[in-house]
């Protein structure tokens, strides 16, 4: 099995599992990852997804170079489309995704992490977009998402040089939210996931959708969207429960409706 899905109550751990190739993504693994993300998107009980790589060396060491080397342009296009579909499915998933980056996140691995809502790194994490060193530009969204996550000048430097960034530099440039010792990474990712999952699940989903909508469509459209989801929330039981719980000085019992 190249992608493992473990449901842990309201959070789910998805592990890319191809350790003999440092979790590099071939077509079969990409398809398995896409299927997992699409399946989880239909599950209302899942509030947050944590995505990581098997073993202690890599998150995902990129697309599988041994598969790519002999591709025709048409096959390369199909491979880029598949990678884009995975990243878009993560980005458009109703639940927030937390990337727990436990080693190499190179090329396509960095691009998958960039599609996640939040990135946490172990002290061993290494990020890069080394495509240009292989004679290709990024193909799974790195040229678009990296400059939207880190300052554009930094993104350009990293994209044009393929230079590696260690965990501390990743933290400094805003590529990751936090850095933890490797043996604490998953525990910390679960803590963050549980903290998100304790909130109104519909409210978190609406917030994710609003953030993405505004970042993609611009401020005015984003504000319009925000007004609509804000008003929509007042049709839900969670809104009444959250506010009554505050007024009654108790913890809310959200039901996701
Ligand atoms: C659209 C998307 C495009 C892309 O993603 S382009 C690809 C971007 N990624 C890369 O360029 C990274 C390629 N890998 C490396 O540079 C190195 O690996 C590492 C720095 C990550 C680790 O180096 P070390 O510690 O010396 O390990 P090792 O012996 O190179 O790797 C263990 C096994 O894993 C295979 N492997 C690693 N990354 C990939 C990959 N991206 N595609 C295919 N295989 C990969 C190796 O070949 C090897 O296998 P074996 O033991 O049979 O020689």
């Amino acid at each position: 099995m190249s992608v493992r899905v473990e449901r842990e109550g309201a959070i789910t751990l998805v592990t890319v599992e191809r350790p003999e190739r440092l979790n590099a993504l071939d077509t079969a693994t990409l398809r398995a990852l896409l299927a997992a993300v699409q399946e989880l998107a239909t599950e209302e009980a899942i509030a947050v997804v944590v995505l990581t790589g098997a073993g202690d060396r890599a998150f995902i060491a990129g697309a599988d170079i041994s598969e790519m080397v002999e591709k025709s342009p048409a096959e390369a296009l199909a491979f880029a489309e598949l990678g884009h579909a995975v990243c878009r499915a993560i980005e458009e998933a109703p639940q927030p995704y937390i990337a727990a980056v436990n080693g190499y996140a190179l090329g396509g691995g960095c691009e998958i992490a960039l599609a996640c809502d939040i990135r946490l790194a172990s002290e061993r994490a290494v990020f890069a977009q080394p495509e240009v060193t292989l004679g290709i530009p990024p193909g799974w969204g790195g040229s678009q998402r990296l400059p939207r996550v880190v300052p554009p000048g930094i993104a350009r430097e990293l994209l044009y040089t393929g230079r590696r960034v260690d965990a501390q530099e990743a933290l400094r440039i805003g590529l990751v939210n936090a850095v933890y010792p490797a043996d604490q990474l998953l525990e910390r990712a679960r803590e963050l996931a549980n903290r998100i999952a304790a909130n109104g699940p519909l409210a978190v989903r609406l917030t994710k959708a609003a953030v993405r909508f505004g970042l993609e469509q611009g401020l005015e459209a984003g504000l319009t969207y925000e007004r609509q989801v804000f008003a929509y929330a007042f049709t839900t039981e969670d809104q009444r429960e959250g506010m009554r719980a505050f007024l009654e000085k108790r913890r809310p019992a959200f039901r996701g409706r």
Side-chain angles (χ1 to χ4, degrees), residues 22-147:
L22 299 183
N23 306 320
L25 294 173
D26 59 0
T27 295
T29 312
L30 263 182
R31 287 201 178 121
L33 183 55
L34 180 60
V37 174
Q38 288 173 333
E39 163 64 28
L40 293 171
T42 68
E43 296 188 26
E44 286 186 8
I46 294 172
V48 184
V49 179
V50 176
L51 177 62
T52 195
D56 56 5
R57 296 189 56 207
F59 173 70
I60 296 168
D64 190 313
I65 299 169
S66 61
E67 181 185 323
M68 278 191 297
V69 60
E70 297 295 347
K71 279 193 188 302
S72 68
E75 289 166 340
L77 180 61
F79 198 51
E81 284 169 352
L82 182 57
H84 280 180
V86 172
C87 291
R88 210 61 178 134
I90 291 171
E91 217 162 39
E92 292 179 349
Q95 309 93 348
Y97 271 66
I98 300 171
V101 179
N102 51 327
Y104 292 111
L106 305 179
C110 189
E111 289 168 311
I112 300 266
L114 285 166
C116 294
D117 295 82
I118 296 167
R119 286 155 294 283
L120 304 180
S122 84
E123 288 167 344
R124 284 204 290 262
V126 176
F127 297 83
Q129 295 287 164
E131 287 88 343
V132 291
T133 71
L134 297 166
I136 54 171
W140 294 351
S143 66
Q144 302 307 304
R145 292 192 182 91
L146 189 60

